[in-house]
Amino acid sequence: MAIKKILTFPNPVLREKAEKITTFDDELKQLANDMGKTMYNAPGVGLAANQIGITRQIVVVDISREENEKKFIALINPVISEGEGSVTGEEGCLSVLEYESKVKRFQKIRVTAQDLDGKKLDFEAEDRFARILQHEVDHLHGTLFIDHISRLKLTLYKKKLKKILKNK
Ligand code: NI
């Protein structure tokens, strides 16, 4: 297992649309393991393959219930098939350095996806889990949470980022 480098905005790979996965083999399982390890190392609660430079439709999401647990699921070709309600909550992203902002998301969603063996999944998610899933599925479409904030906030963030990058 290996920890991968996480790409950060404005890296253009983060804007690419991920391709559908059709082969469910050991290499895919290895990728999921590497993504899980990379996510916990960051640390974060979700990671999409684009974020490590792989434009394939796979995300990992933390599902741990206890503090020191490291349990995650890998979702292949995930789609938000239904959404209802709306909640505004704070978001950040491993690919967006030193920034958090409020983002409006569906409160409850229905997700269709496949597991690492290609088995079809169809489930509902609410609240925090639903938020993470919407954020990660966005990544696969080349969308970042900062695309959901106001132009003014984005301009301010870009200025801040310039300073951060200059001091690195
Ligand atoms: Ni993210």
Side-chain angles (χ1 to χ4, degrees):
M1 285 208 285
I3 291 166
K4 306 288 184 186
K5 184 183 182 317
I6 297 175
L7 306 178
T8 57
F9 173 80
N11 191 306
V13 178
L14 296 169
R15 295 313 196 175
E16 285 179 26
K17 285 191 198 311
E19 279 168 35
K20 212 166 172 179
I21 289 170
T22 51
T23 308
F24 297 84
D25 55 8
D26 285 348
E27 192 211 317
L28 183 66
K29 291 189 174 91
Q30 183 64 51
L31 172 61
N33 275 328
D34 287 349
M35 286 175 64
K37 195 155 192 190
T38 303
M39 171 177 77
Y40 287 121
N41 179 63
V45 289
L47 189 76
N50 323 37
Q51 293 180 273
I52 54 165
I54 296 169
T55 48
R56 299 169 74 194
Q57 291 184 21
I58 170 172
V59 303
V60 292
V61 178
D62 174 56
I63 51 163
S64 305
R65 288 179 181 272
E66 279 151 49
E67 203 160 321
N68 289 316
E69 212 180 3
K70 285 184 179 173
K71 200 173 164 193
F72 66 92
I73 48 162
L75 297 173
I76 316 299
N77 306 324
V79 174
I80 311 290
S81 56
E82 286 170 37
E84 63 179 63
S86 138
V87 264
T88 302
E90 203 80 358
E91 279 184 38
C93 177
L94 297 174
S95 293
V96 179
L97 295 172
E98 297 178 41
Y99 192 64
E100 282 186 5
S101 184
K102 286 192 161 62
V103 178
K104 200 191 265 186
R105 300 281 189 188
F106 290 127
Q107 184 267 327
K108 187 176 178 183
I109 55 171
R110 187 166 172 183
V111 180
T112 58
Q114 281 166 278
D115 70 10
L116 287 168
D117 297 310
K119 201 181 116 203
K120 287 206 165 125
L121 306 172
D122 189 339
F123 61 94
E124 286 182 343
E126 287 184 279
D127 303 323
R128 183 173 176 271
F129 188 43
R131 175 172 298 278
I132 298 170
L133 288 167
Q134 290 171 85
H135 177 117
E136 299 312 326
V137 172
D138 262 5
H139 272 300
L140 299 180
H141 296 132
T143 302
L144 299 170
F145 83 94
I146 49 174
D147 299 334
H148 298 291
I149 66 176
S150 73
R151 198 160 274 272
L152 175 65
K153 276 188 179 169
L154 184 61
T155 305
L156 292 173
Y157 174 62
K158 282 181 179 165
K159 271 191 196 151
K160 179 182 163 175
L161 182 64
K162 240 182 219 168
K163 279 189 202 151
I164 294 168
L165 296 176
K166 213 196 273 174
N167 294 328
K168 278 218 164 198

